[in-house]
PDB file of all heavy atoms in Angstrom:
ATOM      1  N   ASN A  24     -71.503  90.408  36.756  1.00 49.00           N
ATOM      2  CA  ASN A  24     -70.173  90.272  36.188  1.00 49.00           C
ATOM      3  C   ASN A  24     -69.896  91.534  35.411  1.00 49.00           C
ATOM      4  O   ASN A  24     -70.599  92.526  35.557  1.00 49.00           O
ATOM      5  CB  ASN A  24     -70.078  89.004  35.307  1.00 49.00           C
ATOM      6  CG  ASN A  24     -71.124  89.000  34.211  1.00 49.00           C
ATOM      7  OD1 ASN A  24     -71.302  90.000  33.521  1.00 49.00           O
ATOM      8  ND2 ASN A  24     -71.820  87.883  34.050  1.00 49.00           N
ATOM      9  N   SER A  42    -108.291  79.939  44.737  1.00 91.00           N
ATOM     10  CA  SER A  42    -109.740  79.790  44.882  1.00 91.00           C
ATOM     11  C   SER A  42    -110.487  80.118  43.590  1.00 91.00           C
ATOM     12  O   SER A  42    -111.644  79.715  43.411  1.00 91.00           O
ATOM     13  CB  SER A  42    -110.251  80.679  46.021  1.00 91.00           C
ATOM     14  OG  SER A  42    -109.999  82.044  45.735  1.00 91.00           O
ATOM     15  N   VAL A  46    -111.301  74.093  36.190  1.00 98.00           N
ATOM     16  CA  VAL A  46    -110.739  73.184  35.204  1.00 98.00           C
ATOM     17  C   VAL A  46    -111.592  73.156  33.944  1.00 98.00           C
ATOM     18  O   VAL A  46    -112.821  73.053  34.012  1.00 98.00           O
ATOM     19  CB  VAL A  46    -110.609  71.761  35.786  1.00 98.00           C
ATOM     20  CG1 VAL A  46    -110.088  70.791  34.726  1.00 98.00           C
ATOM     21  CG2 VAL A  46    -109.687  71.764  37.001  1.00 98.00           C
ATOM     22  N   ASN A  49    -110.667  70.371  27.927  1.00 98.00           N
ATOM     23  CA  ASN A  49    -110.313  70.681  26.538  1.00 98.00           C
ATOM     24  C   ASN A  49    -110.038  69.388  25.765  1.00 98.00           C
ATOM     25  O   ASN A  49    -108.910  69.110  25.338  1.00 98.00           O
ATOM     26  CB  ASN A  49    -109.096  71.612  26.489  1.00 98.00           C
ATOM     27  CG  ASN A  49    -107.882  71.044  27.217  1.00 98.00           C
ATOM     28  OD1 ASN A  49    -108.018  70.391  28.254  1.00 98.00           O
ATOM     29  ND2 ASN A  49    -106.694  71.301  26.696  1.00 98.00           N
ATOM     30  N   ARG A  60     -87.405  56.615  21.138  1.00 91.00           N
ATOM     31  CA  ARG A  60     -86.320  56.942  20.211  1.00 91.00           C
ATOM     32  C   ARG A  60     -86.857  57.831  19.092  1.00 91.00           C
ATOM     33  O   ARG A  60     -87.771  57.446  18.367  1.00 91.00           O
ATOM     34  CB  ARG A  60     -85.717  55.657  19.634  1.00 91.00           C
ATOM     35  CG  ARG A  60     -84.508  55.890  18.737  1.00 91.00           C
ATOM     36  CD  ARG A  60     -83.858  54.572  18.350  1.00 91.00           C
ATOM     37  NE  ARG A  60     -83.327  53.879  19.536  1.00 91.00           N
ATOM     38  CZ  ARG A  60     -82.744  52.692  19.481  1.00 91.00           C
ATOM     39  NH1 ARG A  60     -82.640  52.059  18.318  1.00 91.00           N
ATOM     40  NH2 ARG A  60     -82.297  52.132  20.591  1.00 91.00           N
ATOM     41  N   THR A  82     -98.471  71.335   7.308  1.00 98.00           N
ATOM     42  CA  THR A  82     -97.250  70.716   6.799  1.00 98.00           C
ATOM     43  C   THR A  82     -96.100  71.692   6.995  1.00 98.00           C
ATOM     44  O   THR A  82     -96.204  72.866   6.632  1.00 98.00           O
ATOM     45  CB  THR A  82     -97.368  70.367   5.300  1.00 98.00           C
ATOM     46  OG1 THR A  82     -98.428  69.424   5.128  1.00 98.00           O
ATOM     47  CG2 THR A  82     -96.070  69.767   4.777  1.00 98.00           C
ATOM     48  N   ALA A 169     -73.471  85.970   7.065  1.00 98.00           N
ATOM     49  CA  ALA A 169     -74.885  86.054   7.469  1.00 98.00           C
ATOM     50  C   ALA A 169     -75.122  85.425   8.840  1.00 98.00           C
ATOM     51  O   ALA A 169     -76.259  85.371   9.311  1.00 98.00           O
ATOM     52  CB  ALA A 169     -75.760  85.362   6.429  1.00 98.00           C
ATOM     53  N   ILE A 237     -94.399  77.440  42.480  1.00 76.00           N
ATOM     54  CA  ILE A 237     -95.024  76.994  41.238  1.00 76.00           C
ATOM     55  C   ILE A 237     -93.989  76.301  40.351  1.00 76.00           C
ATOM     56  O   ILE A 237     -92.789  76.473  40.518  1.00 76.00           O
ATOM     57  CB  ILE A 237     -95.666  78.150  40.450  1.00 76.00           C
ATOM     58  CG1 ILE A 237     -94.581  79.121  39.950  1.00 76.00           C
ATOM     59  CG2 ILE A 237     -96.697  78.881  41.279  1.00 76.00           C
ATOM     60  CD1 ILE A 237     -95.078  80.077  38.893  1.00 76.00           C
ATOM     61  N   GLY A 240     -90.963  78.739  34.488  1.00 79.00           N
ATOM     62  CA  GLY A 240     -89.670  79.223  34.059  1.00 79.00           C
ATOM     63  C   GLY A 240     -88.990  78.397  32.993  1.00 79.00           C
ATOM     64  O   GLY A 240     -87.774  78.451  32.844  1.00 79.00           O
ATOM     65  N   SER A 242     -90.529  78.021  29.627  1.00 96.00           N
ATOM     66  CA  SER A 242     -91.019  78.433  28.309  1.00 96.00           C
ATOM     67  C   SER A 242     -91.351  79.915  28.398  1.00 96.00           C
ATOM     68  O   SER A 242     -91.522  80.460  29.489  1.00 96.00           O
ATOM     69  CB  SER A 242     -92.257  77.626  27.900  1.00 96.00           C
ATOM     70  OG  SER A 242     -93.336  77.867  28.802  1.00 96.00           O
ATOM     71  N   GLY A 266     -98.055  87.972  32.070  1.00 97.00           N
ATOM     72  CA  GLY A 266     -97.457  89.048  32.851  1.00 97.00           C
ATOM     73  C   GLY A 266     -96.709  90.070  32.028  1.00 97.00           C
ATOM     74  O   GLY A 266     -96.877  90.165  30.805  1.00 97.00           O
ATOM     75  N   LYS A 319    -108.181  86.784  29.305  1.00 97.00           N
ATOM     76  CA  LYS A 319    -108.490  87.989  30.076  1.00 97.00           C
ATOM     77  C   LYS A 319    -109.520  87.703  31.165  1.00 97.00           C
ATOM     78  O   LYS A 319    -110.384  86.847  31.025  1.00 97.00           O
ATOM     79  CB  LYS A 319    -109.023  89.083  29.149  1.00 97.00           C
ATOM     80  CG  LYS A 319    -107.991  89.646  28.181  1.00 97.00           C
ATOM     81  CD  LYS A 319    -108.597  90.722  27.301  1.00 97.00           C
ATOM     82  CE  LYS A 319    -107.571  91.302  26.333  1.00 97.00           C
ATOM     83  NZ  LYS A 319    -108.179  92.354  25.457  1.00 97.00           N
ATOM     84  N   GLY A 322    -111.221  84.378  32.354  1.00 97.00           N
ATOM     85  CA  GLY A 322    -110.952  83.439  31.284  1.00 97.00           C
ATOM     86  C   GLY A 322    -112.211  82.975  30.586  1.00 97.00           C
ATOM     87  O   GLY A 322    -113.209  82.649  31.235  1.00 97.00           O
TER      88      GLY A 322
END
Side-chain angles (χ1 to χ4, degrees):
N24 56 47
S42 62
V46 177
N49 57 323
R60 184 173 296 178
T82 298
I237 66 166
S242 63
K319 292 180 180 179

